[in-house]
Amino acid sequence: MQLRKITAASAAVVALALTATACGSGEKDDKGGSEGGKGKITVGIKFDQPGLGQKTPQGYAGFDVDVAKYVAKELGYSEGQIEFKESKSQDRENMLARGDVDFIAATYSINDEREQKVDFAGPYLLAHQDLLVRADDDSIKSAEDLNSKKLCSVTGSTSAQNVKQKLAPKAQLQEYPTYSACLTGLQNGAVDALTTDDSILAGYAAQDSHKGKFKLAGLELSNENYGIGVKEGSDLKAKINKALEKMVSDGSWEKAVKANFGPANYEYEPAPSIGDIKK
């Protein structure tokens, strides 16, 4: 009888100790991170867009990556607690719906169709559809100048279709599997221009191997409001908006823009106000 009492008392002590340990080391703090450095946050980015989101032998680099790291820090996570996942354009909504990622910063333009499926914080960058041409080519100064020219974009690109259907119907559209292939074609004269968002074009033009070879035409063929996607109804939206506002106010936003796009002489727009969507 006495042995059972001692055993029961010992078990109670062990249970209390385990409960105290769990409460002390694994709880999330009020920022969303985890005390003791054991938590993590999963972020979707592009892996193949220089200047924005690129996986390199040294790690992950680009403007979207810098924004994601800043936001994660403001949410209470160190850089070592971030797990980056590749978010291809066609997969983004499903990744958020399934909970594969906590948020996505991947040249994710805010539009009405996407807002039916996910929530957006931001915008944090206003980009425009533009053209990239050879540095010595002064023959393309407007979209209309693309008539009879060879225009390159990736297969299925909405940017290319926008030019072909609305702006230069006589342009000879060349669809390549990747932007890198378009750049090779642009460099060797197989095509005359490449079209997509100016931020993406600037990222490619800023690469060391491309410096001085290309230039942006400086056209604003569309407005692309980059936002950070979160699962519909997530309370992260408000927290991320606060982080983005701080990133602008403390100068980190402009520093990141210049670091990632500067070599391309990218004439970027001022940081947009939260919720200010340019149609």
Side-chain angles (χ1 to χ4, degrees):
M1 193 72 177
Q2 185 179 15
L3 179 61
R4 283 200 298 273
K5 285 182 180 179
I6 293 172
T7 302
S10 300
V13 170
V14 171
L16 285 170
L18 289 173
T19 301
T21 300
C23 291
S25 63
E27 279 190 343
K28 289 199 170 189
D29 60 27
D30 59 2
K31 282 187 175 183
S34 176
E35 294 175 1
K38 293 185 178 180
K40 70 173 184 178
I41 189 165
T42 307
V43 181
I45 59 170
K46 292 291 180 68
F47 277 15
D48 59 353
Q49 287 184 342
L52 286 152
Q54 186 177 28
K55 185 177 182 180
T56 74
Q58 293 75 39
Y60 301 94
F63 179 69
D64 283 348
V65 175
D66 289 344
V67 170
K69 288 178 179 178
Y70 189 98
V71 167
K73 179 189 69 175
E74 291 301 306
L75 293 176
Y77 297 89
S78 68
E79 193 169 321
Q81 291 174 293
I82 304 172
E83 179 186 354
F84 286 114
K85 282 192 174 182
E86 184 175 18
S87 295
K88 295 182 179 179
S89 296
Q90 65 270 26
D91 298 333
R92 291 177 296 204
E93 286 82 22
N94 288 333
M95 291 181 74
L96 287 169
R98 290 193 303 260
D100 296 344
V101 291
D102 294 295
F103 68 82
I104 290 177
T107 59
Y108 205 176
S109 296
I110 302 170
N111 62 36
D112 293 340
E113 181 181 352
R114 289 169 179 164
E115 286 189 299
Q116 300 300 314
K117 302 173 183 177
V118 303
D119 287 344
F120 283 99
Y124 63 90
L125 184 72
L126 175 59
H128 305 284
Q129 183 184 343
D130 200 357
L131 305 174
L132 192 71
V133 298
R134 288 181 291 278
D136 60 355
D137 186 354
D138 294 322
S139 67
I140 301 175
K141 297 179 180 178
S142 69
E144 290 76 14
D145 292 333
L146 290 170
N147 284 309
S148 77
K149 298 276 190 179
K150 294 179 181 178
L151 174 66
C152 189
S153 197
V154 295
T155 304
S157 164
T158 56
S159 296
Q161 295 302 324
N162 183 43
V163 172
K164 180 70 175 173
Q165 294 173 7
K166 300 177 182 179
L167 303 172
K170 295 182 180 179
Q172 300 173 34
L173 181 58
Q174 311 284 317
E175 293 185 298
Y176 286 19
T178 64
Y179 289 119
S180 295
C182 279
L183 276 171
T184 300
L186 184 58
Q187 185 172 347
N188 63 29
V191 297
D192 301 302
L194 162 60
T195 188
T196 188
D197 297 357
D198 54 6
S199 58
I200 297 173
L201 296 175
Y204 278 104
Q207 289 183 290
D208 288 339
S209 59
H210 296 149
K211 285 179 183 176
K213 296 179 180 178
F214 308 109
K215 64 182 179 182
L216 278 76
L219 308 180
E220 297 181 4
L221 305 178
S222 71
N223 291 327
E224 305 297 336
N225 303 270
Y226 290 176
I228 292 182
V230 297
K231 189 173 183 178
E232 195 171 21
S234 172
D235 62 357
L236 277 180
K237 176 179 176 178
K239 296 177 181 179
I240 292 173
N241 278 334
K242 286 185 66 176
L244 292 174
E245 288 177 333
K246 183 177 178 182
M247 186 177 187
V248 173
S249 65
D250 70 13
S252 298
W253 182 90
E254 188 167 6
K255 182 179 178 181
V257 170
K258 290 180 177 178
N260 290 290
F261 302 126
N265 296 317
Y266 177 40
E267 296 183 7
Y268 58 90
E269 296 274 5
S273 299
I274 298 300
D276 184 14
I277 311 297
K278 302 292 185 185
K279 297 296 185 180

